[in-house]
Amino acid sequence: MPKFANDPKRTTWLSTPKDTDFPIQNIPFGVFLTRDDIITIGTRIGDYAIDLGALHQLGYFEGVALTDDIFLQDTLNDFIADGRKTWRAVRNRIAKIFDAENAELRDNADHRKTVLFTMDEIEMQLPVLIGDYTDFYASIEHATNVGTMFRGKENALMPNWLHLPVAYHGRSSSIIPSGIPIHRPQGQKLPAGAENPIFGPSRLVDFELEMAFITTAANTMGEPIPIEEAEEHIFGLVLMNDWSARDIQKWEYQPLGPFLAKNFATSISPWIVTLDALEPFRTESPKPKKELLPYLQFNGKKSFDINLEVAIQPKGKKETVVCHSNFKYMYWNMSQQLAHHTVNGCPVNSGDLLGSGTISGKTPDSYGSMLELTWRGEKPLKLNEGGDRKFVEDHDTIILRGFSKNKDVRIGFGEVSTKLLPVYKR
Amino acid sequence: MPKFANDPKRTTWLSTPKDTDFPIQNIPFGVFLTRDDIITIGTRIGDYAIDLGALHQLGYFEGVALTDDIFLQDTLNDFIADGRKTWRAVRNRIAKIFDAENAELRDNADHRKTVLFTMDEIEMQLPVLIGDYTDFYASIEHATNVGTMFRGKENALMPNWLHLPVAYHGRSSSIIPSGIPIHRPQGQKLPAGAENPIFGPSRLVDFELEMAFITTAANTMGEPIPIEEAEEHIFGLVLMNDWSARDIQKWEYQPLGPFLAKNFATSISPWIVTLDALEPFRTESPKPKKELLPYLQFNGKKSFDINLEVAIQPKGKKETVVCHSNFKYMYWNMSQQLAHHTVNGCPVNSGDLLGSGTISGKTPDSYGSMLELTWRGEKPLKLNEGGDRKFVEDHDTIILRGFSKNKDVRIGFGEVSTKLLPVYKR
């Protein structure tokens, strides 16, 4: 039997769909409500959700150093705080339990009934209590596109952009898991040519295709994290849709950055795929265009090759995929982001979420937002069903998907799917 | 015996210093570590800290609808979530227990010994687990001063400033209570005339004189809070020092706002003074210079007259008060801030912290930051002891104080005091 969770040769006794995002090599972590209305920490193989709290109570983690209640919690924060050694031991054990050759659980119908759920029996929750949420602006293509639209081609990138990973703090309270619908936000907008703003529904609601990583307790206040240690503090990644209201954003964002244009909703995929599971998909980062200060210089492959796509599904219609991008396009990688975030001593805790910013590629079909895809609405997108789109319309569902694949294995994220409802009525 | 906590005629059987910030009419809430190393929720009268957990266990809250463990917690979040009716009932009961005419606790030496602590026996903690921290930019004098320095007099206020309370999201993880020292941050700075940034200690570390309010669970996602209901969701206020590194800020803040220049530390005073206790100090807000959109219009007195001051104390020297300001100078009041924050449906939770932004007045001695007081270092401040200051120096302690006073009563906040240590060494 293979020893490590990542071994591509391992097969499982669970029946899994061909090309699933969740083969036995993935073993992501999430939190779900079971058919008995109990919240538990779990993992997923194929289309089965696995109750890790129940598995632990049944003794399947014997020999792994874990507290009794580590999986019987509403969030993964404590488990994540236990550190990388524990995450690895648990993933390796789960792989072993579900290995095709291991009869222990496979041949115990009572136990299987207790720990296995089909996906339609459960309800995914937010996987972590997010203490702080930071969003970067790490794709040079996205920053250039947006900068060109807002400030013209000459001033597209601010002078600081090539020297540091620009970021801002976001709102934790409006981060929701996939499946929760949101309302079109209202706010102040300045009509073209007007002197005074008006109030009303945003007419330019947009998605942003992002990924985000979740940290463990990383440092004490005052202490920077050196770039070469950064990955030790990264638990895993999710897909993220950073909902944006472009008309509200344009009027409010000077001089302190986006606020109400962003904090009405941010959606994430519910399964955290560990950095360990993504190990086979390491790749080179884009070459820096300026020499970096030492604290941002790194060795080795710190980017990850993760295919990303966005689909729009109008109400009652088939979806249209409108964007294909890749996580590896990010100019600033996660190690640089975490090193920069803490270089001033800012403390990072277990369960913090650090978003990539919109991930756009070089070609127009790889742009990660409607703002860029339609170039501010000038070139509407043609959907296969449901008409054209300049921005997101009421009752549209936006679906982000992501996966890594090589000849041996596919490691995916599933999806984050969010429907936009009309303005909230009291 | 007076019925309500605010009654200025009430006296207490506890001996309290003349002109204390914490007369029996104040009854703030905080969290502290007792001499027995137990964390409890408490209040303060004069120089006594009172263990509300112990008082409750001894039966002193009989008849007030409270769960048994409401005060035996590490944070005030659950108590705050119980709502204004509960806060008022508890304050009224505490006033009664310590009323000069009430013999119940006064004459019970055993009980007194259990619930009363002197301030030097305890260690104040953060009063709430801060889910989200927002900082406004609500003083027109501060925004004008900073805008003039950064962009010139003509462009000092951005076009949006008079139409909405500008704000940005801050970092919760680096919010600390009074008494915890911080380290001088390092980061990227662009030397004058240089093309490329350098890395090193910030040379322009600054305080910002602010107040902040703490909310209860206010709305569900999607639902705006009408301005006339906003105060129902405000539990109370603290003093806040929003530490800033001006050289880091200048280089990084475009286009998404301040990040590392702010998130290394934010200090707050540990006792939350309730909005109820501040009721006698309501006052008019500044008259709006532009007609406001309906959701920001209000009736009545929504500002509060709170005297504020900042002192610098060099190591081993006497302090010098360098600034006198007032919370009432804020152009945008708390009701406007909360209505604006939620107008897009952004959810506000129990324990969220909303800062005012630097509170500057019209006269140079009322400016709430070193940046303004020394006008970017051009006019150093003369201290009574310890030399001149352009910005904060290593081993300086910055002390913010605040109180309201009329002929009947003084309601104060105590202080938030933070020492700046040199750059962190690993």
Side-chain angles (χ1 to χ4, degrees), chain A residues 143-159 162:
Chain A
T144 305
N145 286 340
V146 173
T148 302
M149 281 182 245
F150 279 74
R151 290 178 299 271
K153 211 163 185 174
E154 297 309 303
N155 303 305
L157 283 189
M158 293 285 178
L162 293 172

Side-chain angles (χ1 to χ4, degrees), chain A residues 142 228 269 316 332 364 412 423:
Chain A
H142 171 68
E228 58 273 16
S269 58
W332 298 100
V423 164

Side-chain angles (χ1 to χ4, degrees), chain A residues 216-291:
Chain A
T216 184
N219 61 338
T220 57
M221 191 157 157
E223 179 192 20
I225 299 174
I227 192 161
E228 58 273 16
E229 293 174 18
E231 284 188 353
E232 286 171 33
H233 306 289
I234 299 175
F235 175 63
L237 286 93
V238 292
L239 303 167
M240 186 165 95
N241 182 352
D242 184 25
W243 288 89
S244 301
R246 301 300 178 192
D247 38 7
I248 296 173
Q249 185 174 354
K250 194 176 174 188
W251 171 236
E252 76 170 358
Y253 91 105
Q254 291 268 31
L256 299 183
F259 183 57
L260 300 186
K262 298 275 193 177
N263 68 15
F264 61 99
T266 307
S267 321
I268 64 172
S269 58
W271 293 106
I272 306 176
V273 175
T274 63
L275 204 62
D276 280 342
L278 295 165
E279 194 58 39
F281 304 100
R282 283 185 181 276
T283 187
E284 299 287 344
S285 305
K287 209 175 135 66
K289 292 171 188 286
K290 296 256 187 190
E291 196 186 329

Side-chain angles (χ1 to χ4, degrees), chain A residues 129-137 151 158-161 163-176 181-188 195-199 220-226 229 248-249 251-266 290 293-296 340-349 352 354 424 426, chain B residues 129-137 151 158-161 163-176 181-188 195-199 220-226 229 248-249 251-266 290 293-296 340-349 352 354 424 426:
Chain A
L129 176 70
I130 299 162
D132 278 293
Y133 155 43
T134 295
D135 202 19
F136 284 85
Y137 190 54
R151 290 178 299 271
M158 293 285 178
N160 56 19
W161 203 96
H163 294 281
L164 55 82
V166 171
Y168 68 104
H169 295 297
R171 179 92 188 164
S172 299
S173 72
S174 51
I175 300 177
I176 50 173
I182 62 168
H183 288 278
R184 178 179 295 274
Q186 300 201 82
Q188 293 195 21
E195 198 190 325
N196 292 318
I198 57 167
F199 180 81
T220 57
M221 191 157 157
E223 179 192 20
I225 299 174
E229 293 174 18
I248 296 173
Q249 185 174 354
W251 171 236
E252 76 170 358
Y253 91 105
Q254 291 268 31
L256 299 183
F259 183 57
L260 300 186
K262 298 275 193 177
N263 68 15
F264 61 99
T266 307
K290 296 256 187 190
L293 285 164
Y295 81 96
L296 292 170
H340 182 65
H341 203 319
T342 59
V343 76
N344 68 344
C346 178
V348 169
N349 294 318
D352 285 351
L354 285 79
Y424 178 92
R426 214 180 188 183
Chain B
L129 176 69
I130 299 162
D132 278 294
Y133 155 44
T134 295
D135 203 19
F136 283 86
Y137 190 54
R151 291 178 297 270
M158 293 286 177
N160 57 18
W161 204 95
H163 293 281
L164 55 81
V166 171
Y168 67 104
H169 295 297
R171 179 93 188 164
S172 300
S173 72
S174 51
I175 300 178
I176 50 173
I182 63 169
H183 288 277
R184 178 179 295 276
Q186 300 201 83
Q188 291 196 22
E195 197 191 326
N196 292 318
I198 56 168
F199 180 82
T220 57
M221 191 158 158
E223 178 192 23
I225 299 174
E229 292 175 20
I248 296 173
Q249 186 175 353
W251 171 237
E252 75 169 0
Y253 92 105
Q254 290 268 32
L256 299 183
F259 183 58
L260 299 186
K262 298 276 191 176
N263 68 14
F264 61 99
T266 307
K290 296 257 187 189
L293 285 163
Y295 81 95
L296 292 170
H340 182 65
H341 204 319
T342 58
V343 76
N344 67 344
C346 178
V348 168
N349 294 317
D352 285 351
L354 285 79
Y424 178 93
R426 213 179 190 184

Side-chain angles (χ1 to χ4, degrees), chain A residues 94-115:
Chain A
I94 293 170
K96 202 171 148 189
I97 296 167
F98 292 92
D99 187 294
E101 290 173 32
N102 188 342
E104 204 181 359
L105 178 63
R106 185 190 69 197
D107 297 349
N108 187 328
D110 281 351
H111 283 189
R112 283 203 318 271
K113 213 174 141 182
T114 307
V115 304

Side-chain angles (χ1 to χ4, degrees), chain B residues 79-356:
Chain B
F79 174 64
I80 295 172
D82 280 348
R84 191 156 70 163
K85 216 169 139 181
T86 301
W87 318 332
R88 286 182 174 168
V90 166
R91 276 185 78 244
N92 288 337
R93 177 62 60 91
I94 293 170
K96 202 172 150 189
I97 296 166
F98 292 93
D99 187 294
E101 291 172 31
N102 187 342
E104 204 182 1
L105 178 63
R106 184 190 70 197
D107 296 349
N108 188 329
D110 279 352
H111 284 188
R112 283 203 318 273
K113 212 173 141 183
T114 307
V115 305
L116 288 179
F117 296 80
T118 56
M119 288 306 295
D120 56 2
E121 288 176 317
I122 64 162
E123 208 174 288
M124 295 303 298
Q125 310 291 306
L126 265 193
V128 279
L129 176 69
I130 299 162
D132 278 294
Y133 155 44
T134 295
D135 203 19
F136 283 86
Y137 190 54
S139 151
I140 193 166
E141 288 82 8
H142 171 67
T144 305
N145 286 339
V146 173
T148 302
M149 281 182 244
F150 278 72
R151 291 178 297 270
K153 212 165 185 173
E154 297 308 303
N155 304 305
L157 284 190
M158 293 286 177
N160 57 18
W161 204 95
L162 294 171
H163 293 281
L164 55 81
V166 171
Y168 67 104
H169 295 297
R171 179 93 188 164
S172 300
S173 72
S174 51
I175 300 178
I176 50 173
S178 181
I180 308 283
I182 63 169
H183 288 277
R184 178 179 295 276
Q186 300 201 83
Q188 291 196 22
K189 314 167 285 186
L190 189 70
E195 197 191 326
N196 292 318
I198 56 168
F199 180 82
S202 168
R203 294 292 169 213
L204 309 182
V205 174
D206 201 354
F207 61 78
E208 289 195 339
L209 168 61
E210 302 197 16
M211 299 202 70
F213 66 94
I214 288 153
T215 60
T216 183
N219 61 338
T220 57
M221 191 158 158
E223 178 192 23
I225 299 174
I227 192 162
E228 57 273 17
E229 292 175 20
E231 284 188 353
E232 287 171 34
H233 306 289
I234 300 175
F235 175 63
L237 285 92
V238 293
L239 302 167
M240 186 166 95
N241 181 352
D242 183 26
W243 288 90
S244 301
R246 301 299 179 193
D247 38 7
I248 296 173
Q249 186 175 353
K250 195 176 173 188
W251 171 237
E252 75 169 0
Y253 92 105
Q254 290 268 32
L256 299 183
F259 183 58
L260 299 186
K262 298 276 191 176
N263 68 14
F264 61 99
T266 307
S267 320
I268 63 172
S269 57
W271 294 105
I272 306 175
V273 175
T274 63
L275 203 63
D276 280 342
L278 294 165
E279 194 57 40
F281 303 101
R282 283 185 182 276
T283 185
E284 299 287 344
S285 304
K287 209 174 134 63
K289 291 172 189 283
K290 296 257 187 189
E291 197 187 328
L292 298 178
L293 285 163
Y295 81 95
L296 292 170
Q297 293 175 12
F298 63 96
N299 294 311
K301 295 178 177 176
K302 299 285 186 191
S303 288
F304 292 82
D305 182 359
I306 304 171
N307 303 289
L308 301 169
E309 68 173 39
V310 184
I312 301 179
Q313 182 177 29
K315 191 177 180 180
K317 308 281 181 189
K318 283 196 182 135
E319 67 170 53
T320 303
V321 174
V322 297
C323 159
H324 291 279
S325 188
N326 195 302
F327 187 55
K328 71 181 175 189
Y329 297 159
M330 277 210 309
Y331 186 87
W332 298 101
N333 60 49
M334 295 183 283
S335 294
Q336 291 174 312
Q337 291 171 4
L338 196 52
H340 182 65
H341 204 319
T342 58
V343 76
N344 67 344
C346 178
V348 168
N349 294 317
S350 179
D352 285 351
L353 189 80
L354 285 79
S356 58

